[in-house]
Amino acid sequence: MEMISRFRDKDIVKLLLENIFKETETDKIYNIMEVCGTHTMSISRFGIRGLLPKNVRLISGPGCPVCVTSQGEIDMIFELLKYNDVIAAVYGDLMKVPGSDGRNLLDLKAEGKDIRVVISPLDVLKLKNEQKKGVVFISIGFETTNPATAGLIEVIVNQGLDGFYILTLNKTMPEIIDILLEDKELNVDGFLCPGHVSVMTGESLYLPIIKRNKAAVITGFEPVDILYSILDIIRQINCKNFFIKNNYGRVVNSIGNEKANGLVYKYFEPADSIWRGVGTIKNSGLKIREQYKYLDASERFGLHPSDKLEIDGCKCGEVLKGKILPNKCNLFGLMCTPENPVGPCMVSSEGACAAYYKYEI
Amino acid sequence: MNSTTMMLGGGGKATNDFIKNYIIKYFGNVYLNDLRDASKLKTNGNISFTTDSFVVKPEFFPGGDIGKLAVYGTCNDLAVSGAKPKYLSLSLIVSEGYSLENLDKILNSIKLAVDEIDVKIVCGDTKVVERSEEPSIFINTTGIGELVVDLNNYNNINIGDKVIITSDIARHGLAVLSERNELNVDTEIKSDCCNLYKIFEHVGYEGIKFARDATRGGVAAVLNEIKEHSNKGFLIEEDRVPVEEPVKYLCEFLGFDMLEIANEGVAVLICENDKAEEMVGKLKELEIAKNARVVGEVTDSKKVLLKNSYGGIRVVEMPDGNLLPRIC
Ligand code: SF4
């Protein structure tokens, strides 16, 4: 906890805010995107938006793994449970995400489907002993969580365990960052780069950002981290000198975690993936390698994502791409609330709509 | 016989034996011993009346068990509404195959709790249901208390009144979750399950305008409930909310909001502005309220707002009823 409290220190926060106010040029608008959902949550939870000068705008990006999962991919989970008597192991965030018919996994569980919430992929191994049904781990996540899924596969393979399957909905960051950078409408001047993802990827992931004269600052999740990085971005914009800065050096090194990446690509290969509200992005997902195909739930149970779009009116795609603020979606807070969500952005613990709904005044 | 069978709830000899050997043995008193169809009770003036069912799993957890919870839970509801708990009903629903040893442990724990609060069990019921999965036990208790002061009147709440939290928060929810092995971490956290009537016995009622215990949904749920019914708002200071370091750390780690986690021994008191600090001083004399704090005040904002140490303000929403750990 001491580790955390240093990064929440009142006096440091005050000092950083004073500097941000001092160095912000009033005739400029600073558009800063936080790529990561955990950043979005922290910003809202600590009330950071309200502490900044009006012309420093924080825009939420695509970094919530559940939110970027396309409707077609989510429907695959429902298909799996509809036709197969299996145990589905999922992360908690998924439980309230609605399928196309409006029902969620909590509804299915109440109907008797065997759905278990796990905190880490290795928890999945414990489920097998209880029953002789197949266990399917629904794997969702970015660079941060992908190695953990690979770790699960490694245990299954090494121990020759039977009856475990993985439904791989994992995605990777570089391709979506490219898309954001190419977007002419999206006028972002700098990025708060995701701390957790960077632990795995290192700094090189953000080279395209600075090549386009935008700031890239790798940032932790505490108020001091976030404000310090916002100040850095403001400084880079002011003097038009753009470089990758690592403000999360206590955790992130410049080359990333080669061992974890090695593990990921031992079991996975890049594959096209459908992103919610964006569409198919080449090589932005992961697929289990041919050699381990017998573990692939989509092969075993014949599942294919449909190209179903979001439920009518849901603007998740626009929110993910930073085009609109969550509260500008017509359904926000009316038809779409955390109890009655229309899109995953409203239920995932890292979703931008949820962050706005829950915390913003 | 070392586990329950359908016989036990059948109404015949087995039922009678159970009542004699367990229920009367533990809870016998002048109202119960006659085993009348309904008990004849005496109260003075207004009563408070409440009921609650307890389905906690597992039934034993660090700091308590379902039996203790079933007594404290209902009596605490009476206490925070301004009543002195007097009488309780006790209904057991057990599935066949439930271990009698565990049942005995639970009844013993109920006995200790009713003695501590000085409340009497005056009626009850036992049903055995067919076993489906793991044998389990559910308990319903209904309570009657003598109303001393009405602490549930929203009209008594005024802007400027202070909010007191009587103990550090979020222990019960985490203790139960970790006992269920759902957290994957070893914790030493114990449930705060305790008798809240002690608080009122000790500090009296003067200056307290409203009270509620922060059980399911935690402090966030209580404040939002009061907000809704009173049409007022709250400004709470995050730094003042009492919470133990390991609890805070675990919440951070798992992505839980400590304000949303269930308690069993925490009351939220709304107190007259100028009596609040004195009240906290008195509360601190009690072991169960040694961490009491004034945490904020009633405002006209019609929102529950939480202010952190550097002035950032966020909304505290009504929890949506599902504690789910985050993805990364
Ligand atoms: S408010 Fe709901 S419907 Fe609108 S974008 Fe967010 S999740 Fe989708």
mmCIF file of all heavy atoms in Angstrom, chain A residues 77 80-81 86-95 105 109 113-128 134-140 149 152 164-169 297, chain B residues 327:
data_model
loop_
_atom_site.group_PDB
_atom_site.id
_atom_site.type_symbol
_atom_site.label_atom_id
_atom_site.label_comp_id
_atom_site.label_asym_id
_atom_site.label_seq_id
_atom_site.Cartn_x
_atom_site.Cartn_y
_atom_site.Cartn_z
ATOM 1 N N ILE A 77 -19.975 -17.074 -27.675
ATOM 2 C CA ILE A 77 -19.994 -17.651 -26.321
ATOM 3 C C ILE A 77 -21.388 -18.201 -26.032
ATOM 4 O O ILE A 77 -21.560 -19.273 -25.466
ATOM 5 C CB ILE A 77 -19.622 -16.572 -25.272
ATOM 6 C CG1 ILE A 77 -18.312 -15.893 -25.654
ATOM 7 C CG2 ILE A 77 -19.557 -17.168 -23.880
ATOM 8 C CD1 ILE A 77 -17.979 -14.655 -24.813
ATOM 9 N N LEU A 80 -21.917 -21.374 -28.009
ATOM 10 C CA LEU A 80 -21.202 -22.471 -27.361
ATOM 11 C C LEU A 80 -22.056 -23.081 -26.252
ATOM 12 O O LEU A 80 -22.218 -24.301 -26.164
ATOM 13 C CB LEU A 80 -19.883 -21.939 -26.779
ATOM 14 C CG LEU A 80 -19.167 -22.864 -25.789
ATOM 15 C CD1 LEU A 80 -18.477 -23.996 -26.540
ATOM 16 C CD2 LEU A 80 -18.134 -22.114 -24.956
ATOM 17 N N LEU A 81 -22.631 -22.209 -25.420
ATOM 18 C CA LEU A 81 -23.375 -22.701 -24.263
ATOM 19 C C LEU A 81 -24.736 -23.269 -24.654
ATOM 20 O O LEU A 81 -25.272 -24.143 -23.988
ATOM 21 C CB LEU A 81 -23.550 -21.573 -23.252
ATOM 22 C CG LEU A 81 -22.264 -21.269 -22.476
ATOM 23 C CD1 LEU A 81 -22.289 -19.880 -21.872
ATOM 24 C CD2 LEU A 81 -22.055 -22.316 -21.375
ATOM 25 N N VAL A 86 -21.024 -27.731 -21.468
ATOM 26 C CA VAL A 86 -19.637 -27.530 -21.023
ATOM 27 C C VAL A 86 -19.616 -26.560 -19.845
ATOM 28 O O VAL A 86 -20.610 -25.901 -19.554
ATOM 29 C CB VAL A 86 -18.777 -26.915 -22.148
ATOM 30 C CG1 VAL A 86 -18.578 -27.891 -23.287
ATOM 31 C CG2 VAL A 86 -19.378 -25.601 -22.635
ATOM 32 N N ILE A 87 -18.471 -26.511 -19.177
ATOM 33 C CA ILE A 87 -18.261 -25.463 -18.176
ATOM 34 C C ILE A 87 -17.556 -24.316 -18.896
ATOM 35 O O ILE A 87 -16.505 -24.522 -19.497
ATOM 36 C CB ILE A 87 -17.353 -25.954 -17.034
ATOM 37 C CG1 ILE A 87 -17.977 -27.171 -16.336
ATOM 38 C CG2 ILE A 87 -17.081 -24.837 -16.035
ATOM 39 C CD1 ILE A 87 -17.074 -27.806 -15.281
ATOM 40 N N ALA A 88 -18.153 -23.135 -18.856
ATOM 41 C CA ALA A 88 -17.480 -21.986 -19.459
ATOM 42 C C ALA A 88 -16.822 -21.186 -18.341
ATOM 43 O O ALA A 88 -17.471 -20.811 -17.370
ATOM 44 C CB ALA A 88 -18.474 -21.116 -20.213
ATOM 45 N N ALA A 89 -15.529 -20.963 -18.458
ATOM 46 C CA ALA A 89 -14.810 -20.163 -17.468
ATOM 47 C C ALA A 89 -14.567 -18.786 -18.063
ATOM 48 O O ALA A 89 -14.006 -18.661 -19.149
ATOM 49 C CB ALA A 89 -13.485 -20.831 -17.129
ATOM 50 N N VAL A 90 -15.062 -17.750 -17.373
ATOM 51 C CA VAL A 90 -14.969 -16.403 -17.940
ATOM 52 C C VAL A 90 -14.426 -15.426 -16.891
ATOM 53 O O VAL A 90 -14.482 -15.689 -15.695
ATOM 54 C CB VAL A 90 -16.348 -15.871 -18.406
ATOM 55 C CG1 VAL A 90 -16.967 -16.813 -19.410
ATOM 56 C CG2 VAL A 90 -17.295 -15.658 -17.236
ATOM 57 N N TYR A 91 -13.927 -14.306 -17.349
ATOM 58 C CA TYR A 91 -13.594 -13.214 -16.447
ATOM 59 C C TYR A 91 -14.892 -12.513 -16.032
ATOM 60 O O TYR A 91 -15.851 -12.463 -16.806
ATOM 61 C CB TYR A 91 -12.686 -12.204 -17.137
ATOM 62 C CG TYR A 91 -11.285 -12.708 -17.387
ATOM 63 C CD1 TYR A 91 -10.711 -12.636 -18.654
ATOM 64 C CD2 TYR A 91 -10.522 -13.241 -16.357
ATOM 65 C CE1 TYR A 91 -9.428 -13.077 -18.885
ATOM 66 C CE2 TYR A 91 -9.231 -13.680 -16.578
ATOM 67 C CZ TYR A 91 -8.680 -13.601 -17.845
ATOM 68 O OH TYR A 91 -7.405 -14.041 -18.075
ATOM 69 N N GLY A 92 -14.874 -11.960 -14.821
ATOM 70 C CA GLY A 92 -16.067 -11.348 -14.256
ATOM 71 C C GLY A 92 -16.710 -10.299 -15.154
ATOM 72 O O GLY A 92 -17.930 -10.192 -15.235
ATOM 73 N N ASP A 93 -15.872 -9.547 -15.849
ATOM 74 C CA ASP A 93 -16.381 -8.465 -16.695
ATOM 75 C C ASP A 93 -17.407 -8.927 -17.715
ATOM 76 O O ASP A 93 -18.259 -8.165 -18.148
ATOM 77 C CB ASP A 93 -15.244 -7.834 -17.509
ATOM 78 C CG ASP A 93 -14.145 -7.307 -16.649
ATOM 79 O OD1 ASP A 93 -13.658 -8.081 -15.802
ATOM 80 O OD2 ASP A 93 -13.775 -6.141 -16.812
ATOM 81 N N LEU A 94 -17.271 -10.194 -18.110
ATOM 82 C CA LEU A 94 -18.115 -10.674 -19.203
ATOM 83 C C LEU A 94 -19.547 -10.983 -18.791
ATOM 84 O O LEU A 94 -20.445 -11.033 -19.626
ATOM 85 C CB LEU A 94 -17.509 -11.953 -19.753
ATOM 86 C CG LEU A 94 -16.642 -11.831 -20.988
ATOM 87 C CD1 LEU A 94 -16.212 -13.210 -21.428
ATOM 88 C CD2 LEU A 94 -17.416 -11.156 -22.109
ATOM 89 N N MET A 95 -19.749 -11.207 -17.489
ATOM 90 C CA MET A 95 -21.024 -11.753 -17.042
ATOM 91 C C MET A 95 -22.238 -10.908 -17.453
ATOM 92 O O MET A 95 -23.315 -11.429 -17.670
ATOM 93 C CB MET A 95 -21.034 -11.948 -15.519
ATOM 94 C CG MET A 95 -20.110 -13.028 -15.022
ATOM 95 S SD MET A 95 -20.412 -14.646 -15.744
ATOM 96 C CE MET A 95 -21.899 -15.163 -14.891
ATOM 97 N N LEU A 105 -24.782 -13.441 -19.596
ATOM 98 C CA LEU A 105 -24.349 -14.725 -19.033
ATOM 99 C C LEU A 105 -24.962 -14.984 -17.654
ATOM 100 O O LEU A 105 -25.129 -16.127 -17.253
ATOM 101 C CB LEU A 105 -22.823 -14.800 -18.971
ATOM 102 C CG LEU A 105 -22.108 -14.832 -20.334
ATOM 103 C CD1 LEU A 105 -20.595 -14.909 -20.149
ATOM 104 C CD2 LEU A 105 -22.571 -16.009 -21.185
ATOM 105 N N LYS A 109 -26.743 -18.380 -16.688
ATOM 106 C CA LYS A 109 -26.343 -19.119 -15.486
ATOM 107 C C LYS A 109 -27.591 -19.456 -14.672
ATOM 108 O O LYS A 109 -27.736 -20.565 -14.173
ATOM 109 C CB LYS A 109 -25.385 -18.247 -14.664
ATOM 110 C CG LYS A 109 -24.732 -18.971 -13.506
ATOM 111 C CD LYS A 109 -23.555 -18.135 -13.001
ATOM 112 C CE LYS A 109 -22.726 -18.861 -11.973
ATOM 113 N NZ LYS A 109 -23.306 -19.034 -10.698
ATOM 114 N N LYS A 113 -27.031 -23.005 -17.085
ATOM 115 C CA LYS A 113 -25.765 -23.184 -17.801
ATOM 116 C C LYS A 113 -24.616 -23.063 -16.807
ATOM 117 O O LYS A 113 -24.674 -22.260 -15.874
ATOM 118 C CB LYS A 113 -25.612 -22.135 -18.900
ATOM 119 C CG LYS A 113 -26.698 -22.186 -19.946
ATOM 120 C CD LYS A 113 -26.590 -23.440 -20.788
ATOM 121 C CE LYS A 113 -27.691 -23.484 -21.834
ATOM 122 N NZ LYS A 113 -27.847 -24.822 -22.413
ATOM 123 N N ASP A 114 -23.580 -23.860 -17.044
ATOM 124 C CA ASP A 114 -22.479 -23.906 -16.078
ATOM 125 C C ASP A 114 -21.422 -22.860 -16.442
ATOM 126 O O ASP A 114 -20.581 -23.084 -17.313
ATOM 127 C CB ASP A 114 -21.887 -25.317 -16.064
ATOM 128 C CG ASP A 114 -21.107 -25.569 -14.793
ATOM 129 O OD1 ASP A 114 -20.763 -24.589 -14.107
ATOM 130 O OD2 ASP A 114 -20.851 -26.749 -14.480
ATOM 131 N N ILE A 115 -21.516 -21.712 -15.804
ATOM 132 C CA ILE A 115 -20.595 -20.612 -16.104
ATOM 133 C C ILE A 115 -19.871 -20.240 -14.821
ATOM 134 O O ILE A 115 -20.503 -20.023 -13.794
ATOM 135 C CB ILE A 115 -21.369 -19.389 -16.643
ATOM 136 C CG1 ILE A 115 -22.182 -19.789 -17.867
ATOM 137 C CG2 ILE A 115 -20.414 -18.249 -16.970
ATOM 138 C CD1 ILE A 115 -23.243 -18.803 -18.249
ATOM 139 N N ARG A 116 -18.563 -20.208 -14.854
ATOM 140 C CA ARG A 116 -17.793 -19.895 -13.644
ATOM 141 C C ARG A 116 -16.909 -18.684 -13.886
ATOM 142 O O ARG A 116 -16.270 -18.580 -14.934
ATOM 143 C CB ARG A 116 -16.882 -21.075 -13.264
ATOM 144 C CG ARG A 116 -17.507 -22.433 -13.363
ATOM 145 C CD ARG A 116 -18.325 -22.770 -12.133
ATOM 146 N NE ARG A 116 -18.860 -24.121 -12.266
ATOM 147 C CZ ARG A 116 -18.235 -25.201 -11.820
ATOM 148 N NH1 ARG A 116 -17.088 -25.100 -11.196
ATOM 149 N NH2 ARG A 116 -18.778 -26.402 -11.994
ATOM 150 N N VAL A 117 -16.869 -17.822 -12.872
ATOM 151 C CA VAL A 117 -15.997 -16.653 -12.970
ATOM 152 C C VAL A 117 -14.612 -17.021 -12.444
ATOM 153 O O VAL A 117 -14.488 -17.579 -11.366
ATOM 154 C CB VAL A 117 -16.570 -15.478 -12.150
ATOM 155 C CG1 VAL A 117 -15.584 -14.325 -12.092
ATOM 156 C CG2 VAL A 117 -17.888 -15.013 -12.755
ATOM 157 N N VAL A 118 -13.600 -16.729 -13.229
ATOM 158 C CA VAL A 118 -12.230 -16.972 -12.770
ATOM 159 C C VAL A 118 -11.474 -15.643 -12.731
ATOM 160 O O VAL A 118 -11.830 -14.700 -13.430
ATOM 161 C CB VAL A 118 -11.475 -17.956 -13.684
ATOM 162 C CG1 VAL A 118 -12.021 -19.355 -13.554
ATOM 163 C CG2 VAL A 118 -11.496 -17.489 -15.137
ATOM 164 N N ILE A 119 -10.449 -15.603 -11.887
ATOM 165 C CA ILE A 119 -9.640 -14.389 -11.814
ATOM 166 C C ILE A 119 -8.400 -14.545 -12.677
ATOM 167 O O ILE A 119 -7.951 -13.610 -13.303
ATOM 168 C CB ILE A 119 -9.252 -14.086 -10.355
ATOM 169 C CG1 ILE A 119 -10.518 -13.738 -9.574
ATOM 170 C CG2 ILE A 119 -8.269 -12.932 -10.282
ATOM 171 C CD1 ILE A 119 -10.275 -13.325 -8.146
ATOM 172 N N SER A 120 -7.878 -15.760 -12.723
ATOM 173 C CA SER A 120 -6.702 -15.955 -13.572
ATOM 174 C C SER A 120 -6.911 -17.241 -14.370
ATOM 175 O O SER A 120 -7.609 -18.161 -13.928
ATOM 176 C CB SER A 120 -5.449 -16.043 -12.695
ATOM 177 O OG SER A 120 -4.947 -17.358 -12.708
ATOM 178 N N PRO A 121 -6.292 -17.319 -15.559
ATOM 179 C CA PRO A 121 -6.500 -18.503 -16.402
ATOM 180 C C PRO A 121 -6.157 -19.801 -15.674
ATOM 181 O O PRO A 121 -6.805 -20.824 -15.888
ATOM 182 C CB PRO A 121 -5.551 -18.274 -17.577
ATOM 183 C CG PRO A 121 -5.400 -16.804 -17.656
ATOM 184 C CD PRO A 121 -5.484 -16.295 -16.251
ATOM 185 N N LEU A 122 -5.157 -19.764 -14.784
ATOM 186 C CA LEU A 122 -4.779 -21.016 -14.134
ATOM 187 C C LEU A 122 -5.896 -21.558 -13.222
ATOM 188 O O LEU A 122 -5.945 -22.749 -12.945
ATOM 189 C CB LEU A 122 -3.476 -20.851 -13.353
ATOM 190 C CG LEU A 122 -2.228 -20.704 -14.263
ATOM 191 C CD1 LEU A 122 -0.985 -20.493 -13.441
ATOM 192 C CD2 LEU A 122 -2.059 -21.904 -15.191
ATOM 193 N N ASP A 123 -6.811 -20.673 -12.789
ATOM 194 C CA ASP A 123 -7.966 -21.147 -11.999
ATOM 195 C C ASP A 123 -8.784 -22.167 -12.779
ATOM 196 O O ASP A 123 -9.499 -22.985 -12.203
ATOM 197 C CB ASP A 123 -8.919 -19.982 -11.667
ATOM 198 C CG ASP A 123 -8.286 -19.003 -10.714
ATOM 199 O OD1 ASP A 123 -7.194 -19.317 -10.191
ATOM 200 O OD2 ASP A 123 -8.870 -17.929 -10.506
ATOM 201 N N VAL A 124 -8.692 -22.063 -14.099
ATOM 202 C CA VAL A 124 -9.480 -22.941 -14.963
ATOM 203 C C VAL A 124 -9.141 -24.404 -14.681
ATOM 204 O O VAL A 124 -10.004 -25.272 -14.718
ATOM 205 C CB VAL A 124 -9.172 -22.582 -16.436
ATOM 206 C CG1 VAL A 124 -9.822 -23.571 -17.381
ATOM 207 C CG2 VAL A 124 -9.633 -21.168 -16.733
ATOM 208 N N LEU A 125 -7.877 -24.646 -14.359
ATOM 209 C CA LEU A 125 -7.445 -26.032 -14.155
ATOM 210 C C LEU A 125 -8.157 -26.694 -12.986
ATOM 211 O O LEU A 125 -8.362 -27.894 -12.973
ATOM 212 C CB LEU A 125 -5.927 -26.069 -13.927
ATOM 213 C CG LEU A 125 -5.108 -25.561 -15.110
ATOM 214 C CD1 LEU A 125 -3.656 -25.397 -14.727
ATOM 215 C CD2 LEU A 125 -5.248 -26.515 -16.295
ATOM 216 N N LYS A 126 -8.549 -25.879 -12.009
ATOM 217 C CA LYS A 126 -9.222 -26.436 -10.825
ATOM 218 C C LYS A 126 -10.629 -26.935 -11.165
ATOM 219 O O LYS A 126 -11.178 -27.769 -10.468
ATOM 220 C CB LYS A 126 -9.357 -25.363 -9.741
ATOM 221 C CG LYS A 126 -8.043 -24.917 -9.166
ATOM 222 C CD LYS A 126 -8.314 -23.962 -8.008
ATOM 223 C CE LYS A 126 -7.212 -22.950 -7.886
ATOM 224 N NZ LYS A 126 -7.659 -21.659 -7.415
ATOM 225 N N LEU A 127 -11.224 -26.395 -12.212
ATOM 226 C CA LEU A 127 -12.618 -26.713 -12.503
ATOM 227 C C LEU A 127 -12.786 -28.149 -12.973
ATOM 228 O O LEU A 127 -13.799 -28.777 -12.755
ATOM 229 C CB LEU A 127 -13.166 -25.773 -13.579
ATOM 230 C CG LEU A 127 -13.143 -24.291 -13.205
ATOM 231 C CD1 LEU A 127 -13.593 -23.448 -14.378
ATOM 232 C CD2 LEU A 127 -14.058 -24.055 -12.008
ATOM 233 N N LYS A 128 -11.755 -28.663 -13.600
ATOM 234 C CA LYS A 128 -11.881 -29.956 -14.243
ATOM 235 C C LYS A 128 -12.229 -31.068 -13.254
ATOM 236 O O LYS A 128 -13.024 -31.953 -13.546
ATOM 237 C CB LYS A 128 -10.568 -30.276 -14.951
ATOM 238 C CG LYS A 128 -10.599 -31.544 -15.774
ATOM 239 C CD LYS A 128 -11.698 -31.485 -16.819
ATOM 240 C CE LYS A 128 -11.824 -32.816 -17.535
ATOM 241 N NZ LYS A 128 -12.985 -32.846 -18.383
ATOM 242 N N GLY A 134 -16.464 -30.891 -20.528
ATOM 243 C CA GLY A 134 -15.339 -30.119 -21.042
ATOM 244 C C GLY A 134 -15.329 -28.730 -20.403
ATOM 245 O O GLY A 134 -16.376 -28.214 -20.014
ATOM 246 N N VAL A 135 -14.137 -28.160 -20.269
ATOM 247 C CA VAL A 135 -14.025 -26.806 -19.728
ATOM 248 C C VAL A 135 -13.515 -25.891 -20.834
ATOM 249 O O VAL A 135 -12.494 -26.184 -21.463
ATOM 250 C CB VAL A 135 -13.030 -26.765 -18.553
ATOM 251 C CG1 VAL A 135 -12.891 -25.344 -18.032
ATOM 252 C CG2 VAL A 135 -13.479 -27.696 -17.438
ATOM 253 N N VAL A 136 -14.254 -24.814 -21.093
ATOM 254 C CA VAL A 136 -13.816 -23.872 -22.121
ATOM 255 C C VAL A 136 -13.462 -22.544 -21.471
ATOM 256 O O VAL A 136 -14.302 -21.922 -20.817
ATOM 257 C CB VAL A 136 -14.919 -23.640 -23.176
ATOM 258 C CG1 VAL A 136 -14.415 -22.692 -24.262
ATOM 259 C CG2 VAL A 136 -15.370 -24.962 -23.777
ATOM 260 N N PHE A 137 -12.234 -22.142 -21.621
ATOM 261 C CA PHE A 137 -11.829 -20.841 -21.099
ATOM 262 C C PHE A 137 -12.046 -19.781 -22.171
ATOM 263 O O PHE A 137 -11.536 -19.894 -23.280
ATOM 264 C CB PHE A 137 -10.357 -20.885 -20.678
ATOM 265 C CG PHE A 137 -9.830 -19.540 -20.261
ATOM 266 C CD1 PHE A 137 -10.494 -18.791 -19.289
ATOM 267 C CD2 PHE A 137 -8.684 -19.014 -20.839
ATOM 268 C CE1 PHE A 137 -10.019 -17.541 -18.899
ATOM 269 C CE2 PHE A 137 -8.200 -17.759 -20.445
ATOM 270 C CZ PHE A 137 -8.875 -17.034 -19.476
ATOM 271 N N ILE A 138 -12.849 -18.785 -21.820
ATOM 272 C CA ILE A 138 -13.113 -17.705 -22.769
ATOM 273 C C ILE A 138 -12.014 -16.677 -22.572
ATOM 274 O O ILE A 138 -12.004 -15.938 -21.585
ATOM 275 C CB ILE A 138 -14.487 -17.045 -22.504
ATOM 276 C CG1 ILE A 138 -15.588 -18.098 -22.297
ATOM 277 C CG2 ILE A 138 -14.832 -16.061 -23.621
ATOM 278 C CD1 ILE A 138 -15.910 -18.948 -23.477
ATOM 279 N N SER A 139 -11.092 -16.633 -23.488
ATOM 280 C CA SER A 139 -9.905 -15.796 -23.308
ATOM 281 C C SER A 139 -10.072 -14.471 -24.036
ATOM 282 O O SER A 139 -10.196 -14.430 -25.256
ATOM 283 C CB SER A 139 -8.685 -16.545 -23.834
ATOM 284 O OG SER A 139 -7.567 -15.711 -23.748
ATOM 285 N N ILE A 140 -10.120 -13.421 -23.240
ATOM 286 C CA ILE A 140 -10.259 -12.078 -23.794
ATOM 287 C C ILE A 140 -9.117 -11.268 -23.229
ATOM 288 O O ILE A 140 -8.762 -11.444 -22.066
ATOM 289 C CB ILE A 140 -11.617 -11.481 -23.366
ATOM 290 C CG1 ILE A 140 -12.728 -12.105 -24.217
ATOM 291 C CG2 ILE A 140 -11.636 -9.978 -23.472
ATOM 292 C CD1 ILE A 140 -14.073 -11.477 -24.060
ATOM 293 N N THR A 149 -2.888 -16.520 -20.805
ATOM 294 C CA THR A 149 -3.582 -17.578 -21.549
ATOM 295 C C THR A 149 -2.566 -18.557 -22.133
ATOM 296 O O THR A 149 -2.754 -19.782 -22.076
ATOM 297 C CB THR A 149 -4.437 -16.973 -22.686
ATOM 298 O OG1 THR A 149 -5.338 -16.039 -22.104
ATOM 299 C CG2 THR A 149 -5.222 -18.045 -23.413
ATOM 300 N N LEU A 152 -1.517 -20.887 -19.546
ATOM 301 C CA LEU A 152 -2.501 -21.959 -19.311
ATOM 302 C C LEU A 152 -2.308 -23.074 -20.342
ATOM 303 O O LEU A 152 -2.283 -24.265 -20.005
ATOM 304 C CB LEU A 152 -3.929 -21.386 -19.395
ATOM 305 C CG LEU A 152 -5.066 -22.399 -19.405
ATOM 306 C CD1 LEU A 152 -5.160 -23.139 -18.080
ATOM 307 C CD2 LEU A 152 -6.415 -21.731 -19.708
ATOM 308 N N PHE A 164 -9.770 -29.635 -21.863
ATOM 309 C CA PHE A 164 -9.682 -28.176 -21.744
ATOM 310 C C PHE A 164 -9.583 -27.552 -23.130
ATOM 311 O O PHE A 164 -8.824 -28.030 -23.969
ATOM 312 C CB PHE A 164 -8.440 -27.771 -20.941
ATOM 313 C CG PHE A 164 -8.548 -28.094 -19.491
ATOM 314 C CD1 PHE A 164 -7.948 -29.220 -18.968
ATOM 315 C CD2 PHE A 164 -9.262 -27.261 -18.638
ATOM 316 C CE1 PHE A 164 -8.060 -29.532 -17.623
ATOM 317 C CE2 PHE A 164 -9.369 -27.562 -17.294
ATOM 318 C CZ PHE A 164 -8.768 -28.702 -16.785
ATOM 319 N N TYR A 165 -10.367 -26.494 -23.318
ATOM 320 C CA TYR A 165 -10.349 -25.798 -24.606
ATOM 321 C C TYR A 165 -10.287 -24.299 -24.372
ATOM 322 O O TYR A 165 -10.712 -23.814 -23.330
ATOM 323 C CB TYR A 165 -11.606 -26.139 -25.423
ATOM 324 C CG TYR A 165 -11.808 -27.620 -25.546
ATOM 325 C CD1 TYR A 165 -12.645 -28.289 -24.654
ATOM 326 C CD2 TYR A 165 -11.130 -28.342 -26.524
ATOM 327 C CE1 TYR A 165 -12.806 -29.674 -24.743
ATOM 328 C CE2 TYR A 165 -11.287 -29.727 -26.619
ATOM 329 C CZ TYR A 165 -12.122 -30.385 -25.715
ATOM 330 O OH TYR A 165 -12.271 -31.729 -25.792
ATOM 331 N N ILE A 166 -9.756 -23.586 -25.358
ATOM 332 C CA ILE A 166 -9.635 -22.140 -25.233
ATOM 333 C C ILE A 166 -10.410 -21.484 -26.369
ATOM 334 O O ILE A 166 -10.219 -21.854 -27.533
ATOM 335 C CB ILE A 166 -8.155 -21.673 -25.365
ATOM 336 C CG1 ILE A 166 -7.201 -22.640 -24.680
ATOM 337 C CG2 ILE A 166 -7.994 -20.227 -24.910
ATOM 338 C CD1 ILE A 166 -7.144 -22.574 -23.197
ATOM 339 N N LEU A 167 -11.289 -20.562 -26.034
ATOM 340 C CA LEU A 167 -11.912 -19.754 -27.076
ATOM 341 C C LEU A 167 -11.146 -18.434 -27.116
ATOM 342 O O LEU A 167 -11.247 -17.610 -26.208
ATOM 343 C CB LEU A 167 -13.397 -19.512 -26.752
ATOM 344 C CG LEU A 167 -14.172 -18.767 -27.835
ATOM 345 C CD1 LEU A 167 -14.168 -19.544 -29.154
ATOM 346 C CD2 LEU A 167 -15.613 -18.508 -27.405
ATOM 347 N N THR A 168 -10.363 -18.281 -28.158
ATOM 348 C CA THR A 168 -9.414 -17.158 -28.200
ATOM 349 C C THR A 168 -10.046 -15.923 -28.836
ATOM 350 O O THR A 168 -10.296 -15.912 -30.040
ATOM 351 C CB THR A 168 -8.173 -17.555 -29.029
ATOM 352 O OG1 THR A 168 -7.798 -18.866 -28.634
ATOM 353 C CG2 THR A 168 -7.040 -16.602 -28.793
ATOM 354 N N LEU A 169 -10.318 -14.930 -28.030
ATOM 355 C CA LEU A 169 -10.841 -13.670 -28.566
ATOM 356 C C LEU A 169 -9.820 -12.554 -28.324
ATOM 357 O O LEU A 169 -10.153 -11.380 -28.346
ATOM 358 C CB LEU A 169 -12.176 -13.326 -27.884
ATOM 359 C CG LEU A 169 -13.251 -14.429 -27.937
ATOM 360 C CD1 LEU A 169 -14.497 -14.018 -27.167
ATOM 361 C CD2 LEU A 169 -13.632 -14.755 -29.371
ATOM 362 N N ALA A 297 -11.233 -23.995 -28.989
ATOM 363 C CA ALA A 297 -12.664 -24.238 -28.803
ATOM 364 C C ALA A 297 -13.454 -23.969 -30.074
ATOM 365 O O ALA A 297 -14.464 -24.626 -30.345
ATOM 366 C CB ALA A 297 -13.198 -23.395 -27.657
ATOM 367 N N ILE B 327 -10.688 -7.642 -15.149
ATOM 368 C CA ILE B 327 -9.969 -8.544 -16.043
ATOM 369 C C ILE B 327 -8.450 -8.431 -15.909
ATOM 370 O O ILE B 327 -7.743 -9.409 -16.028
ATOM 371 C CB ILE B 327 -10.434 -8.282 -17.487
ATOM 372 C CG1 ILE B 327 -10.117 -9.461 -18.393
ATOM 373 C CG2 ILE B 327 -9.851 -7.024 -18.060
ATOM 374 C CD1 ILE B 327 -10.889 -9.426 -19.680
#
